[in-house]
Amino acid sequence: MAAPSSSSATPSPYTTLVGRVSCEREIKRSKFIAVAAPVPNERAAMAFLDQVKDPRATHNCWAYKLGEQFRYNDDGEPSSTAGKPIYSAIISSGIDMVMVVVIRYFGGIKLGTGGLVRAYGGVASECLKDAPTCLVKPKARVGMEVPFDLLGTVYHQLQHFQAEDIKQDYDTGKDGTVMVMFEMEYEKIENLGNAVNSACSRKIELYL
């Protein structure tokens, strides 16, 4: 199951895992192992699946959430009894940009569809419940054309707003002007622009 990816003009901060976490439960002789990790994109999610899945296991079911994009897979379990409950656990946790794999070793007792939903969803929820998380604030690459005489003023504002990876390009085609490029959290860009214009007493365009 999948949903199309969509992106907004200004990405919002999101909560994700600090690192890889795992959880193991035994339910009616079946062993369930949930493994979760932060992932930046679908390729990384699939690479994580390849890394942790066990070909000797009965099922390797999974789900990921990447902003508005998501996928889940039952890996041979009855439809919507494994991947979907794992995805529901991700939604309930409030964690984003994450992949959860639940590995099942069949113990000889069938759980039924309701039992499977509770088992897969439960072990995924338990895995994510107390996992260390962090708030990620998306960044953008920004540029601005700055007159030489205002470079000192602009750099003061860039330091104040914690700009990163600052670079200069003097080949702007305009005399007395340098292109200053840097990375900054999206939520700070508008305030930076206002502060620069106020400090320089003129309009300086920001390019995203």
Side-chain angles (χ1 to χ4, degrees), residues 6-64:
S6 67
S7 59
S8 57
T10 305
S12 300
Y14 62 88
T15 299
T16 193
L17 296 175
V18 171
R20 179 169 161 173
V21 292
S22 61
C23 172
E24 182 176 325
R25 285 177 63 191
E26 185 171 312
I27 302 169
K28 293 185 177 179
R29 297 183 185 172
S30 279
K31 184 162 71 172
F32 292 83
I33 301 173
V35 192
V39 289
N41 50 47
E42 182 177 20
R43 185 174 179 178
M46 293 297 98
F48 179 68
L49 173 63
D50 288 339
Q51 179 187 351
V52 302
K53 69 181 180 182
D54 184 353
R56 298 167 299 175
T58 318
H59 304 280
N60 293 275
C61 307
W62 52 270
Y64 69 66

Side-chain angles (χ1 to χ4, degrees), residues 74 85 91 100 134 146 159 206:
D74 296 310
I91 295 296
V100 181
C134 58
V146 183
Q159 290 167 356
L206 274 65

Side-chain angles (χ1 to χ4, degrees), residues 192-204:
L192 168 71
N194 293 335
V196 167
N197 290 336
S198 175
C200 296
S201 299
R202 71 171 77 174
K203 177 77 171 174
I204 293 181

Side-chain angles (χ1 to χ4, degrees), residues 1 11 14 18 22 35 38-39 41 50 52 81 90 114 125 133 139 142 144-145 169 178 189 195:
M1 180 68 184
Y14 62 88
V18 171
S22 61
V35 192
V39 289
N41 50 47
D50 288 339
V52 302
T81 62
I90 294 173
S125 293
T133 60
K139 297 177 182 178
V142 185
M144 62 170 75
E145 289 184 347
D169 182 3
V178 60
I189 293 172

Side-chain angles (χ1 to χ4, degrees), residues 1-205:
M1 180 68 184
S5 174
S6 67
S7 59
S8 57
T10 305
S12 300
Y14 62 88
T15 299
T16 193
L17 296 175
V18 171
R20 179 169 161 173
V21 292
S22 61
C23 172
E24 182 176 325
R25 285 177 63 191
E26 185 171 312
I27 302 169
K28 293 185 177 179
R29 297 183 185 172
S30 279
K31 184 162 71 172
F32 292 83
I33 301 173
V35 192
V39 289
N41 50 47
E42 182 177 20
R43 185 174 179 178
M46 293 297 98
F48 179 68
L49 173 63
D50 288 339
Q51 179 187 351
V52 302
K53 69 181 180 182
D54 184 353
R56 298 167 299 175
T58 318
H59 304 280
N60 293 275
C61 307
W62 52 270
Y64 69 66
K65 183 177 185 299
L66 303 168
E68 297 299 315
Q69 183 184 3
F70 67 88
R71 279 182 65 191
Y72 51 77
N73 189 288
D74 296 310
D75 192 36
E77 293 282 31
S79 178
S80 297
T81 62
K84 192 171 183 178
I86 297 170
Y87 176 66
S88 295
I90 294 173
I91 295 296
S92 297
S93 73
I95 296 171
D96 202 354
M97 308 302 285
V98 65
M99 172 71 154
V100 181
V101 182
V102 179
I103 305 159
R104 181 192 183 190
Y105 299 88
F106 183 58
I109 300 175
K110 292 186 176 182
L111 302 182
T113 56
L116 289 171
V117 169
R118 287 188 295 273
Y120 280 101
V123 71
S125 293
E126 193 172 325
C127 182
L128 297 173
K129 184 175 65 174
D130 297 318
T133 60
C134 58
L135 183 67
V136 177
K137 297 181 178 181
K139 297 177 182 178
R141 192 77 186 155
V142 185
M144 62 170 75
E145 289 184 347
V146 183
F148 289 163
D149 60 321
L150 294 175
L151 268 177
T153 302
V154 168
Y155 264 77
H156 177 75
Q157 295 299 330
L158 292 179
Q159 290 167 356
H160 178 73
F161 284 90
Q162 299 174 310
E164 300 175 358
D165 192 24
I166 303 172
K167 291 184 170 62
Q168 294 180 4
D169 182 3
Y170 289 89
D171 188 18
T172 63
K174 299 179 182 177
D175 289 339
T177 301
V178 60
M179 176 66 80
V180 179
M181 295 159 288
F182 54 92
E183 281 192 359
M184 179 169 287
E185 293 171 4
Y186 271 97
E187 60 184 26
K188 293 182 180 180
I189 293 172
E190 184 178 352
N191 289 337
L192 168 71
N194 293 335
V196 167
N197 290 336
S198 175
C200 296
S201 299
R202 71 171 77 174
K203 177 77 171 174
I204 293 181
E205 296 289 345

